[in-house]
Each structure stands twice: as structure tokens, then as C-alpha cells.
Amino acid sequence: MNITKIIQLLSDTGILGIVIFLFVAWFNRINPAVKTKIASNKSANQREVLGLLDNLASNVVHLLSAYYEMPGDEKREKAIANVTSQLNGLGHDVDPAIISAAIEKAYQLMTTQDTVAQVKQAQFDEALADTEQAFADKQAQLDKQAATVPAEPAPLNVPEKTATTEGDAK
């Protein structure tokens, strides 16, 4: 009985209409606006994290480009691990596939530029290839010599009688 009296009082004073109007307005206008605001904040945060990811990937790729003796696959794994740990340290959890793509993007961007590290890497790779070829040639020469060595060397031709020289034992 009390509830019906309260509803009747609200209806008589017009407050019930205002409450219904606010309720409908909430679901039609205010709630979607709040949801849009939350979504835009989320996308702004995502853009910020992706910008940070690009910067970190670029820094790591440039740093690792100076490790001339490290193979490319190892550099890639180290770069992904480094960027992942930095992002996790900052409280961001990013999919490793996205991190890998950012590393590749930074690498492709760096390779289009003529950097000192690229010149030195090319010199290192060329010197390494030359050294490996020299070792392969020397090994082939040693293998050839080993194959042509006679089984038993010929005896020395020493005369039976030789004159002794000073310092020889008598």
C-alpha cells in the first residue's frame, strides 16, 4: 500500500515523469556517450602504447645492429625479449606478434637508411666470408697433402765413410 501511495504522489507532483524521462535519456544519450568516451580513452591508450613500442623497437634494433658477430635470428630474438621486458616493466602487456612486427618495421626502416653500422656489418660479413674461404682452401690443401704423402719415406743416401768434423764424437 505504501508503494502505491508513493507512486501516486510522484505522479501527481510530476516527479515520476521526470524520473522516467531521465531513465530513458540515460539509456539513449548519456550511456552511449559514456561508452564512447571509455572506448576513445582505450584507443588513445593503445595509440600511446604503440608509439612507445615503435620507439623501443627502433632503439633496440639500432643498438643490436652494432653486434656484428651475432647472427640475425639471434638479434631478432634478443630484440623481442628486450622490448617485451621493457613494456612489461612499464605495465603494458602487448602481444608478442605485434612486438615482432614492430621489430621488423624498425629493421626495415633502418635498412633503407645508410648507417655506419650497416657499412661495418657489411665489412665484417665480407671479412668473415674471406676468412672462411681461406680456411676452406687451406683445409683442401692439407687434405691433398695428406693423400699424396708416401706410406714409407725413402732412406737418406748417406755415404758409408764420412770425414769427421770438429766437435764430432770420436
Side-chain angles (χ1 to χ4, degrees), residues 52-62 79 83 99 102-104 106-107:
L52 176 64
L53 173 61
D54 280 344
N55 288 337
L56 291 174
S58 178
N59 291 343
V60 168
V61 166
H62 280 85
V83 171
I99 294 174
I103 297 291
E104 183 62 28
Y107 174 75

Side-chain angles (χ1 to χ4, degrees), residues 83-94:
V83 171
T84 302
S85 70
Q86 288 184 43
L87 286 172
N88 288 343
L90 295 171
H92 302 293
D93 185 25
V94 179

